[in-house]
Amino acid sequence: MERREFLKVCGSFASLTLLSPALLKESFASQSNEFKKYKKAILLNKDGNPIKPEDIKVGKQYLFFYPYVSTPAFLINLGKEVKPVEVKLSDGSKYLWPGGVGPQKSIVAFCAICPHQLSYPTPDYSFINYYPSDKKSGVVKRGNIIQCCAHLSVFDPEKGGVVIDGPAEYPLLTIVLSYEDGKLYAVGTLGKELFRDFFDAYRSDLKKMYKSFRKAKKKVDKSVVLGVEEYAKEIIFC
Ligand code: FES
C-alpha cells in the first residue's frame, strides 16, 4: 500500500513551543514536510461548550475525532509538564515532537489508530488504550503507556508516542494541539500518517457506520471529547 511520508528534519521547528499562538500557527503552516495542517477544530465537551483543560482528568483516556469525522484520537492529561523531544524513526528520519499544551503543558493527543495493523477503538471495543501510571501493562510492567492488545505494541505518550515494545514500526501519529484563550484546538498532525491505509482497510465498515464513505472522510472543524468508556462498550487491557 502506498504510504505518504511527512517526516523530514527541520531545525526551525525546535523553536515552535516558544512562540505565541499566532506565530505558532504561521510556523506550523510553513512546516509542510513534517507538520500537516488540517482544519482547525475546537475541542468541545458533551454540552457543546469548549472543553476546559481542568475537565481533562489525569489518568483518564478520552477520545475525539480528528482530522476526519471517522478517525479517533486519544486526548490525555499526563498530569505534569511534558517536554518536547526529538523522535527518531527506524528509517533514520526524525522530527521534534512539541510536548504538552495547556496551563501545565500536560495535555497530549495521538491518533488512536495503531500504526502496526490499524486496530482502532470502535463503538464495540477498544484494543488500543492508555494505561495510567497506576495500571501496569502486562507487557512492559509499567503504566503511563498506550498499548495495543491486537499484537502488543506499546507506545510512550510522554515521549512523542514512540514505540517501547512490540511489532509497530512507527510511533503513534501526533495530533498537534493548540491552546488559545483557555480553549483547546486540534490543528494538524505530525509524524507518519496512515489515514489512506485506514480508509482502504475499513472502507465497508466506515460506509456502514457513517452512511456513506464520503461522509466518513469529512474533515471536522469541531470535535466532542468523550471518555473512552463512553464510546466503546468493551475496553480491552492486556
Ligand atoms: S494492530 Fe496494534 S499491535 Fe498490531
Side-chain angles (χ1 to χ4, degrees), residues 136-152:
K136 279 190 187 161
S137 138
V139 178
V140 291
K141 313 292 179 210
R142 55 166 269 207
N144 212 18
I145 51 111
I146 293 171
Q147 183 164 301
C148 177
C149 292
H151 312 96
L152 306 180

Side-chain angles (χ1 to χ4, degrees), residues 114 116-119 148 150-153 167:
C114 180
H116 177 230
Q117 287 183 4
L118 310 176
S119 176
C148 177
H151 312 96
L152 306 180
S153 288

Side-chain angles (χ1 to χ4, degrees), residues 62-183:
Y62 297 87
L63 279 183
F64 63 104
F65 287 79
Y66 186 84
Y68 301 94
V69 72
S70 59
T71 52
F74 288 119
L75 186 70
I76 301 165
N77 185 350
L78 292 169
K80 60 181 177 187
E81 181 175 351
V82 186
K83 301 233 163 87
V85 291
E86 188 177 71
V87 173
K88 290 184 186 154
L89 304 190
S90 52
D91 63 5
S93 60
K94 52 189 174 177
Y95 56 88
L96 189 79
W97 179 70
V101 301
Q104 291 183 287
K105 295 189 171 35
S106 61
I107 298 169
V108 297
F110 297 96
C111 180
I113 301 168
C114 180
H116 177 230
Q117 287 183 4
L118 310 176
S119 176
Y120 70 106
T122 73
D124 291 327
Y125 52 77
S126 179
F127 276 98
I128 180 165
N129 293 292
Y130 169 65
Y131 295 53
S133 49
D134 59 353
K135 184 171 186 69
K136 279 190 187 161
S137 138
V139 178
V140 291
K141 313 292 179 210
R142 55 166 269 207
N144 212 18
I145 51 111
I146 293 171
Q147 183 164 301
C148 177
C149 292
H151 312 96
L152 306 180
S153 288
V154 188
F155 308 90
D156 191 340
E158 231 179 279
K159 300 279 189 279
V162 293
V163 181
I164 304 173
D165 209 331
E169 205 183 329
Y170 296 102
L172 291 170
L173 178 73
T174 293
I175 303 298
V176 179
L177 300 174
S178 153
Y179 179 59
E180 300 166 35
D181 302 326
K183 297 175 185 138

